[in-house]
Amino acid sequence: MNILIIGAAGMLGRKLVHALIARGTVLGQPISRLVLADITAPEQPNFKGEIETIAADLSLPGTAERLIQSRPDLICHLAAIVSGEAEADFEKGYRVNLDGTRALFEAIRIAGQTGPYCPKVVFTSSIVVFGEPLPAVISDDHCLTPLTSYGTQKAIGELLLADYSRRGFLDGIGIRLPTISIRPGKPNKAASGFFSSILREPLIGEEAVLPVSDTVRHWFASPRAAVDFIVHACELNTEQLGSRRTLTMPGLSATVADQIEALRRVAGDDATRLIRREANRTVADIISGWPQSFNAQRAEALGFKAETSFDDIIRVHIEDELGNTLPVRERA
């Protein structure tokens, strides 16, 4: 099994690489080769098979052709400019999120003209492909009406994935990820970043800024669950998808207040007192057009699973990122 991961230097990309290496196989085949690509060269993991790390911009001419030169059997396309940055820099968002995705699919199609080639492609989309009108709970049959450039770019990517799959150029599956919380590391430029920072920073005794109201509700899953989604998508028989190639992933619907109360239960009042409220109209306007809850029946029926409480999401972060310790409580 020859696997290409685009976006391998990002948080989910790194975790996915380690998860696949730990598994050792995909679709019953041993993983013999990994090609890891991102805008900056990914770190080289401990892997006994053949490995190549590449610093590359997928949207530049010739890059996609270079990445699939070895004809990978499985391609995980995780690379993207995140929501806030895609909204602030219109040209960059479309160049990376749309042009880069189209370039990859086209390179695969053209490669198939010189000999049989139809790789499995896992494409990470987002729940922000949905916009107004927004029911309280969105079903699998709800139409795509994105209200941001990022959501529009992801929606177009979903349509391209379905069409290239329909034509037999690739075997695609798209997964709409919930907002991932708690993201480890430093904040990124995503408009949703505060959903992680109001938990992540207080857990290590640092202040965090909350730019929206406590009543804001959203759809969440942990990084651990997100990696499990991607791995399960890699393993899934896509014949079960029919022509609807993209699935909304399961998650947890919660308000900011729910997050804070979960933090209080797990880490105590010392942690919650570190959250400072500072309204940000730009962030609030972006978030207001995002969905709040889903009925992800299709994905659940196909075996995708996520957390059912924010206490569990916080505990996942403590286990995976903090060595299963609580610094705030230890100092109290």
Side-chain angles (χ1 to χ4, degrees):
M1 178 66 68
N2 177 5
I3 301 176
L4 165 64
I5 300 176
I6 304 171
M11 183 273 293
L12 284 182
R14 295 193 304 271
K15 289 180 176 291
L16 175 62
V17 169
H18 291 297
L20 290 175
I21 290 173
R23 287 175 62 88
T25 65
V26 173
L27 294 169
Q29 300 295 320
I31 300 171
S32 58
R33 188 171 194 270
L34 287 172
V35 179
L36 310 180
D38 212 319
I39 194 69
T40 58
E43 294 180 1
Q44 188 155 332
N46 183 15
F47 178 59
K48 295 180 180 179
E50 184 180 353
I51 190 164
E52 183 179 7
T53 58
I54 300 172
D57 183 340
L58 183 61
S59 65
L60 294 180
T63 299
E65 291 81 359
R66 175 189 173 196
L67 293 181
I68 68 160
Q69 192 170 16
S70 64
R71 293 188 167 229
D73 307 293
L74 170 65
I75 300 171
C76 296
H77 179 22
L78 317 181
I81 296 299
V82 293
S83 53
E85 188 173 5
E87 201 66 15
D89 192 333
F90 184 85
E91 292 182 358
K92 184 177 182 182
Y94 271 91
R95 179 174 60 80
V96 175
N97 295 341
L98 177 56
D99 297 345
T101 298
R102 173 80 194 284
L104 173 65
F105 294 172
E106 269 295 279
I108 293 169
R109 181 184 70 84
I110 293 169
Q113 295 176 349
T114 61
Y117 183 52
C118 182
K120 185 168 189 179
V121 176
V122 178
F123 171 66
T124 53
S125 187
S126 168
I127 57 172
V128 299
V129 297
F130 298 103
E132 295 177 352
L134 288 173
V137 179
I138 296 175
S139 73
D140 286 318
D141 299 321
H142 196 68
C143 60
L144 307 186
T145 54
L147 294 176
T148 63
S149 295
Y150 178 70
T152 301
Q153 293 147 16
K154 286 297 188 180
I156 297 171
E158 290 184 15
L159 292 172
L160 290 172
L161 185 81
D163 195 39
Y164 278 70
S165 296
R166 179 183 65 85
R167 296 296 298 267
F169 303 137
L170 52 83
D171 180 18
I173 176 171
I175 56 174
R176 297 185 191 111
L177 294 177
T179 287
I180 304 305
S181 180
I182 304 167
R183 296 183 66 93
K186 296 180 179 179
N188 62 16
K189 295 182 180 180
S192 59
F194 70 89
F195 285 124
S196 287
S197 64
I198 61 171
L199 304 174
R200 180 183 59 232
E201 272 69 44
L203 283 170
I204 58 173
E206 296 179 1
E207 188 179 74
V209 173
L210 173 59
V212 301
S213 165
D214 288 29
T215 61
V216 167
R217 178 178 290 276
H218 199 45
W219 189 245
F220 300 97
S222 73
R224 185 190 294 179
V227 170
D228 288 345
F229 296 155
I230 299 168
V231 172
H232 190 62
C234 292
E235 294 277 3
L236 193 70
N237 181 349
T238 56
E239 291 182 0
Q240 301 172 82
L241 301 177
S243 60
R244 299 168 66 190
R245 286 278 172 160
T246 301
L247 299 159
T248 300
M249 292 293 98
L252 169 67
S253 179
T255 65
V256 169
D258 293 332
Q259 290 185 279
I260 294 172
E261 282 307 304
L263 178 64
R264 190 189 312 278
R265 287 192 295 270
V266 175
D269 291 335
D270 284 348
T272 59
R273 278 193 286 265
L274 290 167
I275 299 172
R276 176 168 55 87
R277 287 162 173 78
E278 185 178 298
N280 184 313
R281 182 63 181 272
T282 300
V283 172
D285 286 347
I286 292 174
I287 298 297
S288 68
W290 287 1
Q292 300 180 356
S293 185
F294 291 87
N295 183 352
Q297 286 184 316
R298 285 187 72 214
E300 289 171 352
L302 291 169
F304 292 92
K305 298 177 182 178
E307 292 84 8
T308 57
S309 78
F310 234 103
D311 299 58
D312 289 339
I313 287 177
I314 293 173
R315 290 190 183 102
V316 164
H317 181 75
I318 293 169
E319 291 172 9
D320 292 355
E321 310 299 335
L322 301 181
N324 214 20
T325 63
L326 272 176
V328 170
R329 276 212 166 141
E330 287 182 351
R331 289 198 297 269

